[in-house]
Amino acid sequence: MNKHISPRMNRRAFVVGTAAVGTGLAIGLDLPFGGPAVVRAADGSPEVNAWVVVRPDDTVVIRIARSEMGQGSLTGLAQLVAEELECDWSKVTTEYPTPGQSVARKRVWGDFSTGGSRGIRSSQDYVRKGGATARMMLIEAAANEWKVPASECTVARGIITHKASGKTTTYGKVAEAAAKLTPPAEVKLKDPKDWTIIGKGLLRLDTADKTTGTMVYGIDVKLPGMLNAAIKDCPVFGGKLKSYDEAKVAGMKGVKKVVKVGDTAVAVVADTWWHAKTALDALPIVWDEGDNAKVSSESIAKWLAEGLDNDQPAYVGNKNGDAKAAIAGAAKKVEAVYSYPYQNHATMEPMNATALYTADKCEVWCGTQNGEAAFAATLEASGLPAEKCDVHKVMPGGGFGRRGQTDYVRQAVMIAKQMPGTPIKLVWSREEDMAHGRYHPITQCKMTGAFDANNNLVALHYRLSGQSILFSLRPEALQNGMDPAAFQGVAQSGEAAFGYSVPNLLVEHAMRNPHVPPGFWRGVNVNHNAIYMECFMDELAQAAGQDPLEFRRKLMGNHPKHLAVLNAVAEKIGWTTPAPKGIYRGIAQVMGYGSYVAGAAEISVTDGNKIKVHRIVASTDPGYVVNPAQVERQIAGSFVYGLSGLFYGGCTVKDGKIEQTNFDTYNSMRINEMPKVESVMVPSGGFWGGVGEPTIGVAAPAVLNAYFAATGKRIRSVPLRDQNITFA
């Protein structure tokens, strides 16, 4: 067990653990979805908890249901609880509960899903209430001991004081008594102006273990008697496993078993992973690739291009006025077609999971973005009921949306089920990981803008053609067949709303779903929609003979929060002052995941195709900033992701297969290519937005618009490597 995150916690382990350190306090928070009262062990000490455990030595253990993937949610969520708890931050540690425990307690920890930059914003209210509830009970316990009203007691840094008598005590000393109290029916949260922990750039709780190498990742899990598995799935999505010749590898070193995994894959189990992979590479396999083997990037592109035709059916996601009629009668119109490719998550740690199956129990250890989804996959694959299964979350080596899927968990359980009683650690090879991703959806977009005789924008038609993630992964979330997530950044309202007012507007999506499965790639649909709209906004500004910033401002009078971040980034980059000689600027804005963001870049270009990104600035209004230092890191990290996708990303399809199977063909930007990053936070309060993903969307269009300013050339497709454009 590492210092901050428990890779495994079950009821018995918790009882033993608390017995070893003495009694403690467990707070069971009654959430809207039905949390239970405190459950106590036979010795009278708390047996399980929801959000807060206070040990006799005053250590505060905060339970974190969401997944930490490097984005800082673990520390941010702990800050939220600790703020209301009024504990000593230096004595805070964290642990993951398991989804099995949560389900058994009527989902007391709520949603385990960590995606869409929702880790903090979707749980901030009830985790703060968890801290406040604990604080009130601890104070009440001290007041009861002193026989004084609780209202006369105060607390700071975990020390409770009764000023009139001069008595003091600590949380650890009253924890046992507090555990016996009934939680208050109502709690009042602090006013943001009184926050002392929220809003501070505190050091992350997981940094030390990551730095010293003691952090346990999924690939590090070791269990007694464990064997290792390597797997190959049909390289064409939709294909099947036809046959394999087990006899050819049965005698190879370390090989224990060759197993079929579902209808599409085969795995080799061996004493070491290298022995398993070596045997798997030597295993003769015959695939039934099916009709999808005829699909190529060219055939997909042609199909999507057909969807740009106005005569083809499409779902309308945002509309006012009559854009088509206004365009037909306009004094001038501008038209452009953009495209965006498949992108792979390419996490540093490939997919992996360790499973132990018996007829009475199935347990899984893995890094996951959604513990409950992994738990459901374990139930399905094992065939066992919920009370006989559990998933133990460990640190994932990158997620970016990929570990919200559970295919690797299901595979591990299916293999382990064929070897009962033996722990099996399944690790995908890099090639398997790259070839069987859940990719950023491939899209094209045709945009038409129309002006009147005075160069006022009177109409805008935005027609998207391409994949729907929800169609593939969550069809129940479709709205009369339409995927609302496809309109992120150009939606009529909501957490990813369009930031411009145009008299006649039509935003529509011609849904076309190739066989390559899409997924929630960090930033998701905001990424391509921001490129399309923000680069086209620059095209419209050019056609109108107007400055790109001023052109946008004229359309944003009814969108003050969008405008505020745009103005903030323009001021920071120095938009109204001349750039240094040879330096060119580009700007962009978008709303995503409940936050308003804008970006501006300064670049230089040599030989027409070598770009040096000198400086990139982002402004963000997420409502509230929990940890400003972490927000700065998230902005910088998001630019790494956005710029890598712009310059190097993009997956192509040949014979139905993804062609890029390692980092030699799917690259990431290097540290010497990274620009100076500056961030401007303008939190306006009153709402909670996301941080990890929104700013990805403005990186690429800001650079592309700067490239046009430098060269006069418009780039309308990604990645830049396909245009023979590289980092300088």
Side-chain angles (χ1 to χ4, degrees):
M1 182 179 297
N2 70 56
K3 183 178 180 182
H4 294 298
I5 300 176
S6 169
R8 174 177 179 176
M9 184 192 75
N10 55 38
R11 284 173 176 260
R12 181 171 181 80
F14 183 75
V15 173
V16 171
T18 52
V21 298
T23 55
L25 164 66
I27 299 298
L29 181 61
D30 190 8
L31 297 177
F33 27 77
V38 175
V39 178
R40 304 186 67 82
D43 64 357
S45 64
E47 180 183 341
V48 294
N49 79 334
W51 302 108
V52 177
V53 172
V54 181
R55 294 174 179 159
D57 64 357
D58 296 324
T59 297
V60 173
V61 183
I62 296 176
R63 298 290 183 188
I64 306 295
R66 308 285 180 156
S67 297
E68 173 60 52
M69 301 174 288
Q71 81 279 35
S73 290
L74 181 142
T75 302
L77 287 166
Q79 284 181 252
L80 293 174
V81 176
E83 179 67 65
E84 297 292 342
L85 183 61
E86 293 282 8
C87 63
D88 183 346
W89 178 255
S90 69
K91 296 181 179 179
V92 168
T93 187
T94 61
E95 286 183 330
Y96 286 142
T98 72
Q101 291 172 322
S102 190
V103 168
R105 296 180 61 192
K106 302 179 183 178
R107 294 191 74 227
V108 66
W109 284 284
D111 191 354
F112 276 59
S113 177
T114 312
S117 295
R118 289 187 176 89
I120 286 178
R121 65 187 175 111
S122 292
S123 53
Q124 54 81 22
D125 183 70
Y126 59 78
V127 301
R128 286 191 291 146
K129 287 178 179 175
T133 301
R135 182 194 74 241
M136 293 173 69
M137 294 172 71
L138 288 157
I139 291 174
E140 184 181 351
N144 290 345
E145 180 181 326
W146 296 330
K147 296 180 172 53
V148 300
S151 60
E152 294 182 3
C153 299
T154 60
V155 63
R157 295 175 60 85
I159 299 174
I160 305 169
T161 300
H162 181 242
K163 188 175 181 180
S165 65
K167 293 179 178 178
T168 64
T169 190
T170 66
Y171 276 174
K173 291 177 181 177
V174 298
E176 175 62 24
K180 299 172 183 177
L181 299 175
T182 300
E186 296 183 5
V187 295
K188 182 179 180 181
L189 297 177
K190 286 185 178 181
D191 188 296
K193 66 180 176 58
D194 298 323
W195 287 344
T196 60
I197 295 177
I198 299 174
K200 297 295 187 294
L202 302 179
L203 297 178
R204 287 176 53 153
L205 297 176
D206 55 339
T207 300
D209 288 345
K210 288 179 176 177
T211 304
T212 60
T214 56
M215 183 65 74
V216 177
Y217 291 84
I219 207 166
D220 299 324
V221 170
K222 294 180 181 179
L223 298 175
M226 184 180 75
L227 295 177
N228 297 269
I231 195 168
K232 280 188 180 180
D233 209 330
C234 183
V236 176
F237 292 104
K240 295 182 178 180
L241 173 65
K242 189 172 183 179
S243 65
Y244 58 90
D245 189 353
E246 180 178 355
K248 296 289 186 181
V249 300
M252 291 184 66
K253 186 175 182 179
V255 172
K256 304 297 182 182
K257 196 169 187 176
V258 180
V259 299
K260 183 180 180 184
V261 186
D263 295 327
T264 66
V266 59
V268 174
V269 180
D271 55 353
T272 69
W273 185 80
W274 186 249
H275 286 155
K277 181 184 183 298
T278 301
L280 184 64
D281 289 342
L283 181 68
I285 305 172
V286 179
W287 305 107
D288 176 6
E289 296 182 341
D291 290 340
N292 289 336
K294 303 173 184 176
V295 178
S296 66
S297 288
E298 291 74 21
S299 66
I300 293 173
K302 181 180 178 182
W303 188 37
L304 266 56
E306 292 170 357
L308 298 177
D309 189 330
N310 288 340
D311 293 331
Q312 295 294 312
Y315 296 100
V316 176
N318 193 355
K319 183 180 187 297
N320 61 264
D322 189 338
K324 291 182 179 179
I327 290 170
K332 178 172 59 178
K333 70 176 184 179
V334 178
E335 187 173 280
V337 174
Y338 282 72
S339 64
Y340 197 86
Y342 288 117
Q343 298 270 18
N344 201 323
H345 298 84
T347 61
M348 187 57 66
E349 179 193 36
M351 300 303 107
N352 66 85
T354 300
L356 174 58
Y357 171 89
T358 68
D360 296 317
K361 182 75 172 178
C362 185
E363 295 179 274
V364 171
W365 293 257
C366 67
T368 174
Q369 290 183 235
N370 191 338
E372 288 183 313
F375 182 66
T378 301
L379 301 185
E380 179 187 357
S382 69
L384 295 175
E387 62 268 20
K388 292 187 176 182
C389 295
D390 215 340
V391 172
H392 309 288
K393 296 200 311 181
V394 292
M395 188 67 72
F400 315 124
R402 179 61 180 92
R403 281 188 162 91
Q405 301 306 302
T406 59
D407 44 352
Y408 59 101
V409 175
R410 189 174 290 104
Q411 288 179 343
V413 173
M414 292 171 71
I415 297 169
K417 194 173 181 180
Q418 298 180 63
M419 301 187 72
T422 301
I424 304 294
K425 179 160 72 176
L426 169 68
V427 179
W428 287 17
S429 67
R430 175 62 59 193
E431 290 75 15
E432 186 72 10
D433 190 88
M434 298 289 283
H436 289 90
R438 298 294 183 266
Y439 307 86
H440 182 288
I442 190 168
T443 59
Q444 295 181 20
C445 189
K446 181 179 180 180
M447 291 164 288
T448 307
F451 295 90
D452 64 16
N454 296 317
N455 276 328
N456 296 309
L457 184 67
V458 295
L460 178 61
H461 184 190
Y462 184 98
R463 186 177 176 92
L464 190 68
S465 176
Q467 280 184 296
S468 158
I469 301 175
L470 295 187
F471 179 87
S472 175
L473 299 182
R474 292 186 59 210
E476 71 279 2
L478 296 174
Q479 299 175 0
N480 296 319
M482 183 183 78
D483 180 354
F487 300 100
Q488 285 181 311
V490 292
Q492 190 167 17
S493 60
E495 65 172 27
F498 191 45
Y500 302 105
S501 293
V502 183
N504 299 280
L505 176 70
L506 176 59
V507 179
E508 55 187 353
H509 175 213
M511 188 187 297
R512 300 198 165 209
N513 294 302
H515 76 293
V516 177
F520 296 101
W521 188 90
R522 189 180 179 198
V524 201
N525 298 290
V526 169
N527 292 323
H528 56 253
N529 285 335
I531 290 175
Y532 299 159
M533 185 56 71
E534 289 304 296
C535 288
F536 192 59
M537 275 291 158
D538 261 40
E539 294 204 43
L540 293 174
Q542 180 198 10
Q546 298 175 25
D547 174 79
L549 173 62
E550 292 306 319
F551 182 79
R552 286 173 170 83
R553 282 173 168 167
K554 291 178 182 179
L555 303 175
M556 299 174 75
N558 296 326
H559 308 275
K561 292 188 184 297
H562 288 83
L563 181 58
V565 294
L566 183 68
N567 285 337
V569 82
E571 180 179 355
K572 186 71 173 178
I573 201 75
W575 188 270
T576 58
T577 61
K581 185 178 180 180
I583 300 296
Y584 300 87
R585 293 173 179 147
I587 200 165
Q589 70 82 29
V590 74
M591 183 186 185
Y593 307 97
S595 292
Y596 304 84
V597 299
E602 289 186 342
I603 72 168
S604 61
V605 180
T606 55
D607 301 329
N609 71 334
K610 295 180 179 62
I611 298 176
K612 173 70 174 178
V613 185
H614 296 270
R615 181 182 175 214
I616 189 163
V617 179
S619 60
T620 179
D621 178 3
Y624 296 102
V625 173
V626 175
N627 188 318
Q630 190 54 33
V631 172
E632 289 182 353
R633 298 183 193 109
Q634 280 289 279
I635 289 172
S638 75
F639 284 162
V640 174
Y641 221 69
L643 294 178
S644 289
L646 172 64
F647 280 85
Y648 294 130
C651 296
T652 53
V653 179
K654 182 179 180 181
D655 299 328
K657 307 168 187 175
I658 292 292
E659 292 189 276
Q660 292 74 23
T661 58
N662 215 313
F663 290 121
D664 60 334
T665 50
Y666 191 82
N667 203 354
S668 179
M669 66 186 298
R670 301 301 192 260
I671 196 166
N672 65 301
E673 297 165 339
M674 188 67 188
K676 177 184 180 182
V677 176
E678 299 171 47
S679 57
V680 185
M681 284 166 252
V682 287
S684 58
F687 66 96
W688 291 78
V691 171
E693 296 174 271
T695 48
I696 298 174
V698 295
V703 170
L704 289 173
N705 288 336
Y707 182 77
F708 174 79
T711 66
K713 181 180 179 181
R714 290 284 176 199
I715 302 297
R716 298 191 178 98
S717 65
V718 173
L720 293 181
R721 69 157 190 258
D722 292 345
Q723 322 294 326
N724 193 33
I725 298 173
T726 65
F727 281 108

